[in-house]
Amino acid sequence: MPIKLGIIGYGGMGMWHHKNAPKVKCVDVVAAYDIDAYQVDVAKKAGLRGYDNLDEFLKDEEVNTVLIATPNDVHKDLAVASANAGKNVIVEKPVAMSMKEIDEIIEAAEKNNVVFTVHQNRRWDKDFNKVKKAVELGMIGDVYTIESRVHGAGGLIYGWRNKKECGGGMLLDWGVHLIDQILYMIPNKVVRVYAELFSVLNKDVDDYFKLLMKFDNGLSAQIEVGTFCLKPLPRWFVGGDKGTLVVDDFEGHGEIVKLNKLADKFDAEIVETTAGPTRTFAPRPEEVKDHFELPDVDTEWIEFYANVRDTIEGKAELIVKPDEVKRVYSIIEAAFKSSETGKAVEL
């Protein structure tokens, strides 16, 4: 069955979905609803049926799937209303404002026998999939640490994303993506969360945060997001017992560095450095290191829509599952609690 998509919230993300969803076969955007009359008019000029009334929008019989791209604080009510109207539901991230709200959406979807998922499109990012593939292939051995970060230089956060009551701030905006990526890559249980949130230039919401997750297999993952970092660090740093992986940017530029057999021929010696004498931190000669390209991956964001289409048709399982969405949000809630108390949260 082709997806006939109706978009709730025809702003920046709503228009982005209108542009990209139809790139997938049997996915069409046919309608949009917005509380802003100007955006309704924009939708109509873009060839959609535009609605300024939610009930009328949900009565549109051609629409079989609703995509919600509004401020975060109204996701739950709109998702429940859409499910109760018999529509499949796609919600922009973060799905809601609490675990309780997520449970209400899931309950409504199950009661009405409709598909419910969340647009965690960064599972298809090129940089992430290179890291995931390298880890899964054991290219750097057993991984003990993963660092994932996004550093921006703009500083200011705009619109509703700068309002706490709307679900603004970087933990809910970017953190939800990076947490989802780590949990999608590492299936082990998270046993401890520690987080620090800062309001550097945006006083009402967090514009910098650092989050640590400890897994039951001993692995530690660090996520860092900042909007005012004028000299950004690499997108990924991954340490394993056989090598080191670095990804510089979203394009996936980077490398894997491992020691070769020549390393066994070099005895550890005390070396004088500008930091003083050292043996443990003495630099390795370049000839004992081998540099490898990151694995190739073939992935596109629009695969998300194809998976939703195939799931609705009964040909596939959801890639972004409701229980995975809940797992991500449990980390977010723990991070907020840790930041408030200054203590790690045991899970």
Side-chain angles (χ1 to χ4, degrees):
M1 177 177 66
I3 289 181
K4 298 296 183 179
L5 198 62
I7 296 173
I8 296 181
Y10 200 70
M13 280 308 301
M15 287 187 279
W16 185 90
H17 284 291
H18 185 192
K19 176 182 177 181
N20 287 281
K23 293 177 181 178
V24 174
K25 184 179 179 181
C26 296
V27 177
D28 298 311
V29 181
V30 297
Y33 159 70
D34 203 291
I35 60 173
D36 186 333
Y38 177 80
Q39 294 306 127
V40 174
D41 189 54
V42 171
K44 289 179 178 178
K45 290 179 179 178
L48 303 180
R49 290 190 295 278
Y51 294 91
D52 59 7
N53 182 283
L54 179 62
D55 291 337
E56 292 180 4
F57 169 80
L58 292 177
K59 289 178 182 177
D60 189 317
E61 294 183 357
E62 187 181 19
V63 173
N64 58 25
T65 304
V66 168
L67 189 150
I68 299 168
T70 64
N72 303 329
D73 59 317
V74 294
H75 282 181
K76 187 267 291 184
D77 288 343
L78 292 168
V80 170
S82 299
N84 287 339
K87 314 293 187 184
N88 300 300
V89 181
I90 302 169
V91 184
E92 261 300 337
K93 57 76 200 172
V95 58
M97 299 285 281
S98 70
M99 195 72 79
K100 180 178 180 295
E101 288 191 352
I102 300 174
D103 285 336
E104 289 184 47
I105 299 172
I106 294 173
E107 181 181 357
E110 291 177 347
K111 182 182 70 175
N112 293 283
N113 195 31
V114 296
V115 171
F116 158 61
T117 190
V118 178
H119 185 235
Q120 291 286 6
N121 61 302
R122 295 199 174 275
R123 290 192 185 189
W124 287 268
D125 278 4
K126 187 174 185 179
D127 61 294
F128 164 66
N129 278 280
K130 288 192 171 193
V131 174
K132 184 174 182 286
K133 187 173 182 179
V135 170
E136 291 174 346
L137 292 175
M139 295 180 72
I140 57 172
D142 292 332
V143 172
Y144 61 88
T145 186
I146 300 174
E147 296 179 12
S148 169
R149 61 175 55 83
V150 173
H151 284 168
L156 298 181
I157 303 173
Y158 297 94
W160 61 264
R161 290 178 177 82
N162 196 23
K163 298 179 180 179
K164 185 176 181 179
E165 64 272 19
C166 293
M170 286 298 101
L171 181 56
L172 285 174
D173 190 26
W174 270 92
V176 65
H177 275 310
L178 306 191
I179 294 169
D180 182 70
Q181 287 181 335
I182 294 291
L183 297 187
Y184 191 50
M185 176 166 48
I186 308 298
N188 295 75
K189 175 179 171 56
V190 179
V191 296
R192 188 182 309 116
V193 174
Y194 177 77
E196 295 180 350
L197 277 64
F198 299 83
S199 299
V200 181
L201 299 181
N202 303 268
K203 300 308 177 185
D204 295 328
V205 296
D206 62 288
D207 53 14
Y208 175 90
F209 74 84
K210 186 175 290 185
L211 182 153
L212 287 169
M213 292 184 287
K214 186 73 172 182
F215 289 82
D216 64 1
N217 64 346
L219 186 150
S220 176
Q222 174 179 308
I223 293 173
E224 182 184 34
V225 174
T227 66
F228 191 61
C229 303
L230 303 183
K231 185 67 176 179
L233 292 174
R235 172 71 182 87
W236 295 89
F237 173 89
V238 185
D241 63 1
K242 302 296 183 184
T244 300
L245 180 154
V246 174
V247 177
D248 297 319
D249 49 37
F250 284 107
E251 291 296 318
H253 300 117
E255 65 175 349
I256 291 172
V257 182
K258 302 171 75 171
L259 296 179
N260 57 42
K261 293 181 179 180
L262 289 176
D264 297 334
K265 298 181 179 181
F266 283 82
D267 294 328
E269 298 179 353
I270 295 176
V271 176
E272 287 289 341
T273 72
T274 54
T278 180
R279 193 195 314 249
T280 301
F281 293 101
R284 295 271 191 173
E286 194 60 36
E287 59 263 34
V288 309
K289 293 185 287 185
D290 288 336
H291 298 256
F292 300 90
E293 292 185 357
L294 295 167
D296 289 331
V297 294
D298 184 14
T299 181
E300 293 185 83
W301 280 348
I302 59 173
E303 293 174 35
F304 170 83
Y305 305 110
N307 174 249
V308 175
R309 176 203 62 201
D310 293 345
T311 300
I312 292 172
E313 293 179 348
K315 299 177 181 178
E317 290 186 357
L318 281 174
I319 291 177
V320 183
K321 300 176 177 64
D323 63 325
E324 295 172 343
V325 172
K326 290 184 66 174
R327 186 180 180 221
V328 170
Y329 210 89
S330 72
I331 303 301
I332 290 175
E333 289 193 336
F336 278 126
K337 183 177 180 181
S338 174
S339 180
E340 292 169 0
T341 63
K343 299 178 181 179
V345 175
E346 304 289 334
L347 300 177

